[in-house]
Protein backbone atom coordinates (compact mmCIF):
# COMPACT_ATOMS: atom_id res chain seq x y z
CA UNK A 1 0.00 0.00 0.00
CA UNK A 2 1.26 3.45 -0.82
CA UNK A 3 1.34 6.28 1.68
CA UNK A 4 -1.62 7.92 -0.07
CA UNK A 5 -4.01 4.99 0.29
CA UNK A 6 -6.41 5.02 3.22
CA UNK A 7 -8.73 2.44 4.67
CA UNK A 8 -12.36 3.37 4.22
CA UNK A 9 -13.60 0.63 6.45
CA UNK A 10 -17.15 1.53 7.44
CA UNK A 11 -16.91 5.13 6.26
CA UNK A 12 -20.25 4.80 4.51
CA UNK A 13 -21.89 3.14 7.49
CA UNK A 14 -21.09 5.11 10.62
CA UNK A 15 -24.20 4.18 12.58
CA UNK A 16 -26.04 1.00 13.36
CA UNK A 17 -29.42 0.27 11.69
CA UNK A 18 -32.52 1.75 13.28
CA UNK A 19 -33.69 -1.72 14.31
CA UNK A 20 -31.07 -3.10 16.67
CA UNK A 21 -30.25 -6.77 16.76
CA UNK A 22 -30.36 -6.50 20.55
CA UNK A 23 -29.49 -4.56 23.66
CA UNK A 24 -25.77 -4.99 23.04
CA UNK A 25 -26.02 -3.15 19.71
CA UNK A 26 -27.85 -0.26 21.37
CA UNK A 27 -25.17 -0.06 24.04
CA UNK A 28 -22.41 -0.13 21.47
CA UNK A 29 -24.08 2.76 19.67
CA UNK A 30 -24.32 4.69 22.96
CA UNK A 31 -20.60 4.20 23.48
CA UNK A 32 -19.81 5.21 19.91
CA UNK A 33 -21.80 8.43 20.27
CA UNK A 34 -20.11 9.23 23.58
CA UNK A 35 -16.63 9.07 22.06
CA UNK A 36 -17.72 10.87 18.91
CA UNK A 37 -18.94 13.69 21.15
CA UNK A 38 -15.52 14.26 22.73
CA UNK A 39 -13.25 13.56 19.74
CA UNK A 40 -12.72 17.23 18.91
CA UNK A 41 -11.19 18.09 22.29
CA UNK A 42 -9.95 14.69 23.45
CA UNK A 43 -6.30 15.72 23.17
CA UNK A 44 -6.93 18.31 25.88
CA UNK A 45 -7.42 17.83 29.64
CA UNK A 46 -10.24 15.31 29.20
CA UNK A 47 -8.20 12.71 27.32
CA UNK A 48 -4.55 13.66 27.60
CA UNK A 49 -3.80 15.33 30.92
CA UNK A 50 -0.64 14.82 32.98
CA UNK A 51 -1.85 11.67 34.73
CA UNK A 52 -2.96 10.11 31.45
CA UNK A 53 0.39 10.96 29.88
CA UNK A 54 2.15 9.20 32.73
CA UNK A 55 0.16 6.00 32.19
CA UNK A 56 0.68 6.31 28.45
CA UNK A 57 4.46 6.40 28.95
CA UNK A 58 4.30 3.10 30.85
CA UNK A 59 2.45 1.39 28.01
CA UNK A 60 4.89 2.84 25.47
CA UNK A 61 7.84 1.37 27.35
CA UNK A 62 6.12 -2.02 27.44
CA UNK A 63 5.40 -1.94 23.70
CA UNK A 64 8.86 -0.71 22.70
CA UNK A 65 10.47 -3.38 24.88
CA UNK A 66 8.62 -6.10 22.93
CA UNK A 67 8.60 -4.94 19.32
CA UNK A 68 11.37 -3.97 16.92
CA UNK A 69 11.11 -1.32 14.20
CA UNK A 70 9.24 -2.81 11.28
CA UNK A 71 6.85 -4.77 13.50
CA UNK A 72 3.25 -4.89 12.34
CA UNK A 73 0.82 -3.95 15.11
CA UNK A 74 -2.90 -3.45 15.63
CA UNK A 75 -4.05 -0.60 17.87
CA UNK A 76 -7.41 -1.54 19.43
CA UNK A 77 -9.27 1.66 20.25
CA UNK A 78 -6.79 4.14 18.79
CA UNK A 79 -8.64 7.28 19.89
CA UNK A 80 -7.06 10.33 18.26
CA UNK A 81 -4.00 8.37 17.16
CA UNK A 82 -1.39 9.54 19.65
CA UNK A 83 -0.10 6.01 20.26
CA UNK A 84 -0.37 4.88 16.64
CA UNK A 85 1.58 7.85 15.33
CA UNK A 86 4.14 7.57 18.14
CA UNK A 87 4.84 3.93 17.31
CA UNK A 88 4.90 4.68 13.59
CA UNK A 89 7.55 7.31 14.26
CA UNK A 90 9.48 4.57 16.07
CA UNK A 91 9.41 2.51 12.88
CA UNK A 92 6.35 0.29 13.47
CA UNK A 93 3.54 -0.28 10.97
CA UNK A 94 0.21 0.23 12.71
CA UNK A 95 -3.35 -0.67 11.80
CA UNK A 96 -5.19 1.82 14.03
CA UNK A 97 -8.79 0.80 14.74
CA UNK A 98 -11.60 2.49 16.64
CA UNK A 99 -15.38 2.29 16.96
CA UNK A 100 -15.77 6.08 16.82
CA UNK A 101 -15.81 7.54 13.28
CA UNK A 102 -14.65 10.91 14.54
CA UNK A 103 -11.74 9.39 16.44
CA UNK A 104 -10.71 7.51 13.29
CA UNK A 105 -10.76 10.75 11.31
CA UNK A 106 -8.63 12.46 13.98
CA UNK A 107 -6.13 9.62 13.67
CA UNK A 108 -5.95 10.01 9.91
CA UNK A 109 -5.32 13.74 10.23
CA UNK A 110 -2.64 13.18 12.88
CA UNK A 111 -0.87 10.58 10.73
CA UNK A 112 -0.96 12.91 7.73
CA UNK A 113 0.34 15.86 9.74
CA UNK A 114 3.17 13.69 11.10
CA UNK A 115 3.98 12.41 7.59
CA UNK A 116 3.61 8.76 8.65
CA UNK A 117 0.62 7.83 6.46
CA UNK A 118 2.70 5.05 4.96
CA UNK A 119 3.01 3.38 8.36
CA UNK A 120 -0.43 4.11 9.87
CA UNK A 121 -3.76 2.95 8.50
CA UNK A 122 -6.85 4.11 10.39
CA UNK A 123 -9.94 1.91 10.18
CA UNK A 124 -13.47 2.21 11.56
CA UNK A 125 -13.48 -1.17 13.29
CA UNK A 126 -14.60 -1.67 16.87
CA UNK A 127 -12.74 -4.09 19.10
CA UNK A 128 -15.86 -6.28 18.84
CA UNK A 129 -15.43 -6.42 15.03
CA UNK A 130 -11.95 -7.90 14.69
CA UNK A 131 -13.29 -10.63 12.42
CA UNK A 132 -13.36 -7.91 9.72
CA UNK A 133 -9.59 -7.42 9.78
CA UNK A 134 -7.85 -9.20 6.95
CA UNK A 135 -10.95 -9.44 4.79
CA UNK A 136 -11.27 -5.89 3.49
CA UNK A 137 -9.44 -3.98 0.72
CA UNK A 138 -6.52 -1.89 1.90
CA UNK A 139 -6.19 -3.48 5.33
CA UNK A 140 -2.91 -4.87 6.49
CA UNK A 141 -3.12 -8.63 6.26
CA UNK A 142 -2.30 -10.84 9.24
CA UNK A 143 -0.63 -12.39 10.95
CA UNK A 144 0.50 -9.40 13.00
CA UNK A 145 3.43 -9.22 15.37
CA UNK A 146 1.17 -7.98 18.12
CA UNK A 147 -1.61 -5.77 19.37
CA UNK A 148 -1.90 -3.06 21.98
CA UNK A 149 -4.77 -1.15 23.52
CA UNK A 150 -4.61 1.89 25.78
CA UNK A 151 -7.01 3.28 28.40
CA UNK A 152 -9.71 0.66 28.40
CA UNK A 153 -11.35 0.16 24.98
CA UNK A 154 -11.54 -3.54 25.79
CA UNK A 155 -13.65 -2.71 28.85
CA UNK A 156 -16.41 -1.77 26.41
CA UNK A 157 -16.62 -4.95 24.32
CA UNK A 158 -19.68 -7.15 24.92
CA UNK A 159 -17.80 -10.46 24.54
CA UNK A 160 -14.17 -10.55 25.67
CA UNK A 161 -13.84 -14.24 24.75
CA UNK A 162 -14.65 -13.39 21.13
CA UNK A 163 -11.96 -10.69 21.19
CA UNK A 164 -9.46 -13.20 22.58
CA UNK A 165 -10.27 -15.66 19.79
CA UNK A 166 -9.73 -12.98 17.15
CA UNK A 167 -6.45 -11.91 18.75
CA UNK A 168 -5.30 -15.53 18.49
CA UNK A 169 -6.31 -15.59 14.81
CA UNK A 170 -4.54 -12.35 13.96
CA UNK A 171 -1.33 -12.54 16.03
CA UNK A 172 1.50 -14.85 14.98
CA UNK A 173 2.93 -17.44 17.38
CA UNK A 174 5.40 -15.63 19.63
CA UNK A 175 3.65 -12.32 19.09
CA UNK A 176 2.51 -10.21 22.02
CA UNK A 177 -0.49 -8.35 23.40
CA UNK A 178 -0.04 -5.26 25.60
CA UNK A 179 -3.28 -3.90 27.01
CA UNK A 180 -4.14 -1.11 29.45
CA UNK A 181 -7.43 -2.07 31.12
CA UNK A 182 -9.67 -0.27 33.62
CA UNK A 183 -9.39 -2.18 36.88
CA UNK A 184 -11.98 -3.27 39.38
CA UNK A 185 -10.20 -2.02 42.54
CA UNK A 186 -9.15 1.64 42.52
CA UNK A 187 -8.24 2.69 46.09
CA UNK A 188 -8.23 6.38 45.19
CA UNK A 189 -11.70 6.24 43.70
CA UNK A 190 -13.15 4.32 46.62
CA UNK A 191 -11.66 6.78 49.12
CA UNK A 192 -12.59 9.86 47.08
CA UNK A 193 -16.28 9.04 46.78
CA UNK A 194 -16.65 7.42 50.21
CA UNK A 195 -15.25 10.61 51.79
CA UNK A 196 -18.00 12.55 50.05
CA UNK A 197 -20.68 10.14 51.16
CA UNK A 198 -21.33 8.86 47.64
CA UNK A 199 -21.13 5.22 48.59
CA UNK A 200 -22.93 3.89 45.52
CA UNK A 201 -20.47 5.72 43.27
CA UNK A 202 -17.56 4.45 45.37
CA UNK A 203 -18.68 0.88 44.73
CA UNK A 204 -19.48 1.18 41.01
CA UNK A 205 -16.49 -0.91 39.90
CA UNK A 206 -17.58 -3.80 42.09
CA UNK A 207 -20.57 -4.39 39.83
CA UNK A 208 -20.61 -7.63 37.87
CA UNK A 209 -21.45 -7.34 34.23
CA UNK A 210 -21.96 -4.17 32.24
CA UNK A 211 -22.17 -0.80 34.01
CA UNK A 212 -23.34 2.55 32.56
CA UNK A 213 -20.78 5.34 32.97
CA UNK A 214 -21.58 8.91 31.97
CA UNK A 215 -19.39 11.02 29.69
CA UNK A 216 -20.32 14.34 28.11
CA UNK A 217 -24.07 13.68 28.63
CA UNK A 218 -23.72 10.29 26.94
CA UNK A 219 -23.34 6.76 28.28
CA UNK A 220 -20.39 4.41 27.96
CA UNK A 221 -21.23 0.80 28.77
CA UNK A 222 -18.28 -0.58 30.72
CA UNK A 223 -17.13 -3.81 32.34
CA UNK A 224 -14.49 -3.70 35.07
CA UNK A 225 -11.92 -6.45 35.55
CA UNK A 226 -9.37 -7.85 37.90
CA UNK A 227 -6.26 -8.92 35.96
CA UNK A 228 -7.05 -12.62 36.41
CA UNK A 229 -10.63 -12.07 35.20
CA UNK A 230 -9.39 -10.29 32.13
CA UNK A 231 -6.72 -12.89 31.33
CA UNK A 232 -9.02 -15.91 31.64
CA UNK A 233 -10.49 -15.77 28.08
CA UNK A 234 -6.97 -15.41 26.61
CA UNK A 235 -5.34 -18.24 28.59
CA UNK A 236 -5.78 -20.99 26.01
CA UNK A 237 -3.83 -19.16 23.30
CA UNK A 238 -1.71 -16.66 25.22
CA UNK A 239 0.78 -17.00 28.06
CA UNK A 240 0.65 -14.32 30.75
CA UNK A 241 3.97 -12.44 30.83
CA UNK A 242 3.28 -9.75 33.39
CA UNK A 243 0.76 -7.35 34.83
CA UNK A 244 1.08 -4.25 36.97
CA UNK A 245 -1.03 -1.48 38.44
CA UNK A 246 -1.32 1.92 36.77
CA UNK A 247 -2.20 4.92 38.95
CA UNK A 248 -2.19 2.93 42.17
CA UNK A 249 -0.80 5.65 44.46
CA UNK A 250 -1.50 8.49 42.06
CA UNK A 251 -5.10 9.68 41.68
CA UNK A 252 -7.08 8.62 38.60
CA UNK A 253 -6.97 11.07 35.66
CA UNK A 254 -10.33 12.69 36.42
CA UNK A 255 -8.77 13.99 39.66
CA UNK A 256 -5.96 15.75 37.83
CA UNK A 257 -6.78 19.02 39.64
CA UNK A 258 -5.48 17.42 42.85
CA UNK A 259 -2.24 16.57 41.08
CA UNK A 260 -1.89 20.12 39.76
CA UNK A 261 -2.15 21.63 43.22
CA UNK A 262 0.90 19.73 44.48
CA UNK A 263 2.70 18.29 41.43
CA UNK A 264 6.06 17.75 43.16
CA UNK A 265 4.47 15.76 45.99
CA UNK A 266 2.43 13.67 43.60
CA UNK A 267 5.47 13.04 41.42
CA UNK A 268 7.11 11.41 44.43
CA UNK A 269 4.05 9.19 44.73
CA UNK A 270 4.36 8.47 41.02
CA UNK A 271 7.94 7.28 41.39
CA UNK A 272 6.83 5.03 44.22
CA UNK A 273 3.98 3.85 42.00
CA UNK A 274 6.55 2.82 39.39
CA UNK A 275 8.46 0.81 41.97
CA UNK A 276 5.64 -1.05 43.71
CA UNK A 277 2.97 -1.29 41.00
CA UNK A 278 4.22 -4.70 39.97
CA UNK A 279 4.31 -6.18 43.46
CA UNK A 280 1.99 -9.08 44.32
CA UNK A 281 -1.40 -7.94 45.66
CA UNK A 282 -0.67 -4.31 44.75
CA UNK A 283 -0.63 -5.17 41.05
CA UNK A 284 -4.27 -6.26 41.34
CA UNK A 285 -5.33 -2.66 42.03
CA UNK A 286 -5.04 0.79 40.48
CA UNK A 287 -7.17 2.93 38.20
CA UNK A 288 -5.95 0.75 35.31
CA UNK A 289 -3.67 -2.24 35.04
CA UNK A 290 -1.18 -3.04 32.29
CA UNK A 291 -1.19 -6.66 31.16
CA UNK A 292 1.21 -8.30 28.67
CA UNK A 293 0.65 -11.71 27.07
CA UNK A 294 2.62 -13.82 24.61
CA UNK A 295 1.04 -15.94 21.83
CA UNK A 296 1.66 -19.64 22.44
Amino acid sequence: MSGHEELELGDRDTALPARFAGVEDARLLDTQRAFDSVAADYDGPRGNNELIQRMRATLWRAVLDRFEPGSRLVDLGCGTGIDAVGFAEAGMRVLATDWSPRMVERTRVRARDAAVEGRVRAALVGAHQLDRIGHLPGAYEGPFDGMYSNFGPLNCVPDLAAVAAQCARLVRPGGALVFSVIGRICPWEIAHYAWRGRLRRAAVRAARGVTPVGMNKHTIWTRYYLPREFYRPFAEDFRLESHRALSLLLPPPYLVDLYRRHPHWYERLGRLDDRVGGWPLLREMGDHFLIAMRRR
Side-chain angles (χ1 to χ4, degrees):
M1 294 171 59
S2 75
H4 298 288
E5 294 172 338
E6 287 187 337
L7 290 178
E8 296 183 355
L9 198 53
D11 281 357
R12 298 179 180 85
D13 183 20
T14 59
L16 293 170
R19 295 183 66 185
F20 298 118
V23 173
E24 285 183 353
D25 287 343
R27 289 172 173 173
L28 285 166
L29 184 55
D30 284 344
T31 299
Q32 183 185 73
R33 287 170 171 164
F35 282 101
D36 272 352
S37 77
V38 298
D41 64 355
Y42 205 61
D43 290 344
R46 183 196 303 273
N48 195 32
N49 63 49
E50 297 91 322
L51 293 170
I52 288 175
Q53 290 168 8
R54 207 175 193 289
M55 288 196 286
R56 188 187 303 279
T58 303
L59 179 130
W60 279 36
R61 287 193 296 270
V63 170
L64 294 173
D65 283 348
R66 287 169 173 80
F67 300 107
E68 300 291 333
S71 295
R72 303 167 71 247
L73 306 178
V74 181
D75 183 332
L76 303 181
C78 63
T80 63
I82 293 175
D83 297 326
V85 169
F87 292 132
E89 290 174 336
M92 317 290 186
R93 296 171 62 197
V94 182
L95 175 59
T97 66
D98 203 283
W99 178 228
S100 161
R102 292 183 182 177
M103 291 291 192
V104 170
E105 183 56 33
R106 290 293 306 279
T107 297
R108 289 176 177 160
V109 171
R110 186 183 297 276
R112 184 177 64 241
D113 290 347
V116 292
E117 297 142 296
R119 293 195 296 275
V120 175
R121 295 292 181 270
L124 181 59
V125 177
H128 60 289
Q129 298 175 311
L130 299 183
D131 58 312
R132 301 176 68 183
I133 295 179
H135 300 290
L136 291 157
Y140 286 161
E141 297 293 333
F144 294 88
D145 296 300
M147 297 182 172
Y148 66 89
S149 181
N150 212 355
F151 303 118
L154 296 179
N155 291 86
C156 300
V157 297
D159 186 349
L160 190 60
V163 173
Q166 290 300 320
C167 289
R169 178 181 71 88
L170 292 166
V171 174
R172 64 169 177 80
L177 307 178
V178 181
F179 296 149
S180 171
V181 182
I182 306 173
R184 185 178 290 282
I185 305 172
C186 179
W188 259 97
E189 182 169 290
I190 294 169
H192 174 74
Y193 286 110
W195 178 260
R196 285 156 179 75
R198 298 178 61 185
L199 299 183
R200 290 185 62 186
R201 180 61 182 84
V204 69
R205 299 194 191 205
R208 298 289 172 176
V210 67
T211 301
V213 178
M215 184 174 75
N216 202 33
K217 300 182 181 179
H218 292 271
T219 300
I220 301 172
W221 294 90
T222 305
R223 288 170 171 81
Y224 298 101
Y225 295 98
L226 294 171
R228 64 177 177 272
E229 293 173 332
F230 184 85
Y231 172 63
R232 195 173 295 131
F234 293 87
E236 181 176 350
D237 296 299
F238 291 88
R239 170 175 55 86
L240 179 63
E241 277 196 337
S242 65
H243 67 280
R244 64 166 296 117
L246 298 175
S247 280
L248 171 65
L249 303 176
L250 284 169
Y254 58 83
L255 296 179
V256 68
D257 287 344
L258 293 177
Y259 172 90
R260 289 171 176 168
R261 290 174 201 165
H262 306 285
H264 298 298
W265 188 76
Y266 280 110
E267 273 304 306
R268 293 179 183 176
L269 279 181
R271 289 192 290 271
L272 185 58
D273 219 339
D274 294 339
R275 291 177 56 189
V276 306
W279 288 9
L281 296 182
L282 296 182
R283 65 189 178 189
E284 309 300 316
M285 297 182 278
D287 182 58
H288 286 61
F289 59 85
L290 185 71
I291 186 167
M293 295 172 268
R294 184 72 60 175
R295 180 73 163 88
R296 298 186 191 277

